[in-house]
Amino acid sequence: MQSIITTTPKPLELITDLNEGKVGGDVYVSRASSYDNRSNLSSTFFKQLEAYEGTDLGRQEIYGEILDPENAGIVKRKWFRNWPAQKPTPTLEYVLVSYDPATSEKTHNDPTACIALGVFEQEDFATSCILLDAWDNHLSYPELRRKVIEDYKEVVYGADNTFAKGKKTDLILMEDKSAGISLIQELQAAHLPVRSYNPDAPTRCKG
């Protein structure tokens, strides 16, 4: 018999496949919540847990649920639609670029990830976003700093040279962890429109 023991059951491919019975033959899953260990933890700790009740993060971290990655994120895959090739490209009102810096540039760690979104108005869906760019790479701190500055200076154009009418980045979101902590300070000192964010902050959700 083989056992896998985990504290935070993130929906990695192996974990989800085992949980859904796709691999491994007979699989038995046992979980316990943080409240089951109340006698060994401080009352202050459980007071802090109250902020995460009713959130996806709470379901995962407190109760040990294995969340479906398709439904666990703030942005859902089903919200995405292909932009019709015959439809004129929109005029962007706002461009946002978000970075998730890696802990280091070592390839065995998660890479730095980036997504660029353009906000525009359309009659049938009101305020919408269009995906302009997305990438991930293992970058050293100097390489990441240079890449962020280059991205900021880049003007958004389309194939017809009218896309967004030469719109530049309005806001840079940087995760306030790992290399992002120092990078935020450097970019703010250089007067770039950067704002820090913490994705682990509790977000209320229904269900």
Side-chain angles (χ1 to χ4, degrees), residues 4-207:
I4 295 179
I5 301 174
T6 176
T7 53
T8 301
K10 294 185 178 180
L12 303 177
E13 184 176 359
L14 174 60
I15 299 297
T16 54
D17 285 349
L18 286 170
N19 186 57
E20 296 172 0
K22 295 180 179 179
V23 295
D26 293 333
V27 177
Y28 300 92
V29 179
S30 176
R31 62 171 58 90
S33 77
S34 298
Y35 295 107
D36 294 325
N37 196 30
R38 183 184 290 273
S39 60
N40 299 312
L41 300 171
S42 68
S43 57
T44 303
F45 172 78
F46 286 98
K47 186 66 176 177
Q48 295 172 341
L49 285 188
E50 293 179 2
Y52 296 91
E53 284 289 353
T55 69
D56 286 339
L57 186 62
R59 290 172 55 200
Q60 176 177 276
E61 301 291 337
I62 301 174
Y63 298 101
E65 292 187 35
I66 301 173
L67 304 182
D68 184 347
E70 292 292 323
N71 299 319
I74 296 174
V75 179
K76 314 299 182 184
R77 183 183 295 272
K78 64 182 179 181
W79 295 352
F80 284 85
R81 301 184 180 184
N82 290 325
W83 187 264
Q86 71 279 6
K87 188 174 182 178
T89 52
T91 298
L92 302 183
E93 298 185 5
Y94 201 85
V95 174
L96 180 150
V97 183
S98 177
Y99 295 89
D100 179 4
T103 304
S104 74
E105 68 272 22
K106 296 180 179 179
T107 55
H108 62 266
N109 293 326
D110 290 337
T112 291
C114 171
I115 185 171
L117 298 172
V119 180
F120 64 99
E121 298 289 339
Q122 56 177 339
E123 294 181 359
D124 49 347
F125 291 105
T127 303
S128 302
C129 289
I130 188 169
L131 180 63
L132 302 173
D133 192 17
W135 57 263
D136 61 75
N137 200 355
H138 291 91
L139 302 174
S140 65
Y141 183 87
E143 290 172 332
L144 177 57
R145 182 181 182 277
R146 183 166 55 251
K147 176 63 174 170
V148 172
I149 294 175
E150 289 175 354
D151 288 349
Y152 170 69
K153 292 180 178 180
E154 184 176 352
V155 177
V156 181
Y157 283 110
D160 55 3
N161 289 325
T162 61
F163 190 46
K165 297 183 178 178
K167 196 82 173 76
K168 291 180 63 177
T169 300
D170 294 288
L171 178 64
I172 300 170
L173 281 181
M174 186 73 62
E175 185 175 0
D176 194 11
K177 292 183 179 180
S178 304
I181 298 175
S182 298
L183 191 53
I184 289 168
Q185 296 174 351
E186 281 200 49
L187 297 176
Q188 289 178 338
H191 306 293
L192 270 67
V194 60
R195 181 181 300 174
S196 64
Y197 76 98
N198 182 356
D200 291 334
T203 302
R204 289 289 174 184
C205 65
K206 296 181 179 179

